[in-house]
Amino acid sequence: MTVGIVGLGLIGGSLARAYHDAGWRVLAHNHSASVTAFAEMAGAVDAPLTPENLPECDLLLLAVYPQASIDYLEANAERINQNAIVIDCCGTKRDICAVGFRLAEEHGFLFVGGHPMAGTHFSGFKYSRATLFKGAPMVLVPPVFDDMQLIDRVCKLLAPPAFGQFSVTTAEKHDEMIAFTSQLAHVVSNAYVKSPTAAAHKGFSAGSYKDLTRVAWLNPEMWTELFLENKDNLTREIDTLISELQQYRDAMAADDRETLCRLLDEGKKRKEEVG
């Protein structure tokens, strides 16, 4: 079996290592040829992915930013094997799925949206590892929601990374959920650490500070693209958070012990409910 991987950063590099370790032939393309060459020397990639050998791929994984994934598909759709499945790994789904589903229908291959829910605050091939996705969730956005044969085929093709579970949803629902579970957390973390007090935190901070600031260290270019593509959902989540924070602030400003205690208790119970 042959897998083509577009992008050899943390995600693409880890996928390349996982598939190569599983005995697949791995072809890869990266905007920097030196990274591809390094991945070959590291034993994660067998050869560069080119327009000429693209038709040999049984599976094509797009591990680059959403617009770069769209650009690659539009430039190469006619070369993709009609028996192949193409899966993207982008953090938003509506734009890439709209293009992917259309091009797949026009050219005869299958496209499935995907979002591997794993990563670190480090980026680049040098931080990749074959076990990055072991036990992690994988979200799938198929063209037909209830095509169980397609889902089964996709899950088998995605066996080498050893995902822990698969969730099937729509592009719209994915982007709505990811605005809360991932994007809002990155915005809050990034904004929180901008407090002037942060400069003197050492000696006064422990687990709470580390937990809340972990994802402040992010890739600005990538997250800017993801935030803007999902701005309707993300701005709604930010507005909700601002509204909730205002209630806490107002209660403290008014020395309203009863209301503050109620708000805190509501949050505690909500965490118990949702896990």
Side-chain angles (χ1 to χ4, degrees), residues 13 91 99 188 223 239 244 248:
V99 174
V188 171
W223 284 101
D239 288 343
E244 292 293 336
Y248 290 84

Side-chain angles (χ1 to χ4, degrees), residues 157-194:
L157 287 172
L158 291 173
F163 291 106
Q165 67 181 73
F166 293 92
S167 299
V168 180
T169 188
T170 63
E172 291 73 22
K173 186 63 176 178
H174 169 277
D175 287 1
E176 177 185 336
M177 291 302 298
I178 219 68
F180 171 72
T181 62
S182 176
Q183 294 183 343
L184 181 63
H186 283 77
V187 169
V188 171
S189 181
N190 196 265
Y192 169 81
V193 80
K194 291 178 180 177

Side-chain angles (χ1 to χ4, degrees), residues 20-40:
H20 197 275
D21 285 358
W24 284 54
R25 177 182 177 227
V26 179
L27 307 177
H29 168 77
N30 194 76
H31 66 89
S32 172
S34 62
V35 174
T36 306
F38 181 76
E40 288 185 72

Side-chain angles (χ1 to χ4, degrees), residues 143-155:
V144 181
F145 191 76
D146 58 353
D147 187 343
M148 297 312 298
Q149 286 187 326
L150 172 59
I151 299 301
D152 183 63
R153 183 183 170 194
V154 169
C155 290

